[in-house]
């Protein structure tokens, strides 16, 4: 049987999968990107998107290097952060603490995805949209993918970039530890009365975490991690805007809702491995973290960047030693971020006597220690 043969086939055309496909195509490799939806449809860049990401300087450079960083007209800049504890604790730090221009940039999923796919169309990558994978098989020499429409693809390497509920991971039989947080992240965008001044604001409320992230103009994106998402989803746009503004002490005045609120369950996912025979996992297929630090997509972009770097001069993209090297390289960075976010979440949700005083005092003391604040700032931007 004849298969179309590629150096790499990537399953999943979201931000992380698209960035890897573009990087490999730019390196001159024959690559196919399989996306079940139609992300390249006309109008993708229109309207405000409630799904936003805080992209670090390192990942902005990765995207800029491929010409995929979008126009700044719809991008917000995080110049500083202001974090409040649940009992008076507070820490703030700025890009200046890390000798950087910004801590991160707030980019809508749709805006960034449109830019990536515009570059992909001119990259030489084969874009297979509106099609789903049906079966996956691997041999020591190649991976083979059968689509529902009967097409068959073969590749030196197959990459699963198909999200937290990864079909590729399931087909490989890779077990994953899944720990639900018992919360959902509720997202929405708002126009605000007062300028946000590029400040990302975050509040720990004991049973929930609220973040306001600066978008372009007088707009912010909200991420509210809460055990009771329906209390927000059932509100009218006017009541939601008032509730969110009030929760943050009306620091930016009155709000007006720009997008409907949406919710997604929060889980910590840790697969037993992110590499197998002729297959690698990247992005949410390989790991998830609590969104309190906004690092999920940054970990995914670094998966893509590091894997692309390893494959650049590889005579065989699916070489097992190369895939093991990828797994080792990513393990430490991913584990550190998962441990840090999970630990911070549990610290501010624990109900032990005296712990609220301890954690809030710790925040305030750290705020007074300039070297430690500089280290936090440098970690926040991925240095």
């Amino acid at each position: 049987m004849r298969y179309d043969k590629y150096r790499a086939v990537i399953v999943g055309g979201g931000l992380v999968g698209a960035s890897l496909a573009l990087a490999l195509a730019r390196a001159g490799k024959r690559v196919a990107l399989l996306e079940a939806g139609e992300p390249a449809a006309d109008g993708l860049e229109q309207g405000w998107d409630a799904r936003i990401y805080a992209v670090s300087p390192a990942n902005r450079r990765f995207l800029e290097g491929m010409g995929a960083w979008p126009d700044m007209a719809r991008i917000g800049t995080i110049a500083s952060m202001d974090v409040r504890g649940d009992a008076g604790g507070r820490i703030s730090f700025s890009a200046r603490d890390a000798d950087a221009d910004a801590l991160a940039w707030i980019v809508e999923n749709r805006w960034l995805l449109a830019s990536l796919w515009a570059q992909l169309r001119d990259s030489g990558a084969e874009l297979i949209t509106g099609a789903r994978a049906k079966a996956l098989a691997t041999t020591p020499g190649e991976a083979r993918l059968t689509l529902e429409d009967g097409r068959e693809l073969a590749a030196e390497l197959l990459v699963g970039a198909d999200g937290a509920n990864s079909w590729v991971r399931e087909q490989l039989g890779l077990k994953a530890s899944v720990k639900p947080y018992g919360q959902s992240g509720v997202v929405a965008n708002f126009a605000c009365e007062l300028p946000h001044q590029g400040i990302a604001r975050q509040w720990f409320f004991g049973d929930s975490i609220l973040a306001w992230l600066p978008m372009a103009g007088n707009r912010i994106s909200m991420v509210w991690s809460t055990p009771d998402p329906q209390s927000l989803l059932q509100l009218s746009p006017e009541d939601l805007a008032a509730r969110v503004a009030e929760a943050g002490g009306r620091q930016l005045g009155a709000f007006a809702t720009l997008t409907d609120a949406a919710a997604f369950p929060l889980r910590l996912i840790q697969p037993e491995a992110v590499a197998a025979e002729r297959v690698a996992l990247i992005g949410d297929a390989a790991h998830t973290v609590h969104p309190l630090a906004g690092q999920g997509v940054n970990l995914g972009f670094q998966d893509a960047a590091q894997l692309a770097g390893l494959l650049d001069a590889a005579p065989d993209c699916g070489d097992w030693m190369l895939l093991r090297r990828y797994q080792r390289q990513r393990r430490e960075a991913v584990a550190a971020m998962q441990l840090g976010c999970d630990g911070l979440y549990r610290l501010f949700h624990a109900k032990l006597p005296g712990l609220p005083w301890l954690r809030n005092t710790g925040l305030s003391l750290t705020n007074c220690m300039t070297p430690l604040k500089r280290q936090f700032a440098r970690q926040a931007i991925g240095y």
Side-chain angles (χ1 to χ4, degrees), residues 187-204:
V187 297
N189 296 337
F190 302 90
C192 44
E193 181 180 6
L194 303 175
H196 52 60
Q197 299 178 319
I199 302 172
R201 296 168 169 86
Q202 190 171 52
W203 294 266
F204 289 86

Side-chain angles (χ1 to χ4, degrees), residues 187-372:
V187 297
N189 296 337
F190 302 90
C192 44
E193 181 180 6
L194 303 175
H196 52 60
Q197 299 178 319
I199 302 172
R201 296 168 169 86
Q202 190 171 52
W203 294 266
F204 289 86
F205 293 135
D207 64 343
S208 66
I209 305 168
L210 172 63
W212 291 356
L213 304 173
M215 300 177 68
N218 272 17
R219 305 178 185 90
I220 62 105
S221 180
M222 171 203 79
V223 182
W224 199 332
S225 305
T226 173
D228 184 19
Q230 288 303 318
S231 66
L232 299 172
L233 296 176
Q234 67 188 6
L235 296 175
S236 68
E238 295 77 17
D239 288 343
L240 177 64
R243 173 80 175 274
V244 174
E246 190 64 33
R250 298 181 65 83
Q251 290 189 25
L252 300 180
F255 282 4
T257 302
L258 296 175
T259 63
D260 292 336
F264 54 93
L266 301 182
R267 299 172 293 169
L268 177 65
I269 298 179
Q270 299 170 298
E272 61 183 2
V274 298
E277 182 181 69
R278 294 285 162 182
V279 180
L281 302 177
I282 63 174
D284 284 357
H287 44 69
T288 64
V289 297
H290 195 284
L292 64 86
Q295 293 298 316
V297 77
N298 285 312
L299 286 175
F301 281 141
Q302 283 304 296
D303 292 343
Q306 291 196 20
L307 184 56
L310 287 170
L311 299 180
D312 185 47
D316 180 354
C317 289
D319 178 76
W320 175 235
M321 296 303 293
L322 183 149
L323 297 183
R324 288 187 64 186
R325 193 180 314 156
Y326 161 72
Q327 181 167 261
R328 286 196 305 270
Q329 286 184 354
R330 298 305 297 146
R331 180 179 289 127
E332 183 176 350
V334 170
M337 186 58 66
Q338 287 181 323
L339 182 62
C341 292
D342 188 62
L344 194 57
Y345 164 82
R346 297 189 185 283
L347 175 64
F348 274 90
H349 284 75
K351 307 296 184 184
L352 296 175
L355 196 54
W357 175 86
L358 183 63
R359 63 198 178 207
N360 283 271
T361 300
L363 271 184
S364 297
L365 283 176
T366 302
N367 198 42
C368 299
M369 302 170 69
T370 301
L372 195 54

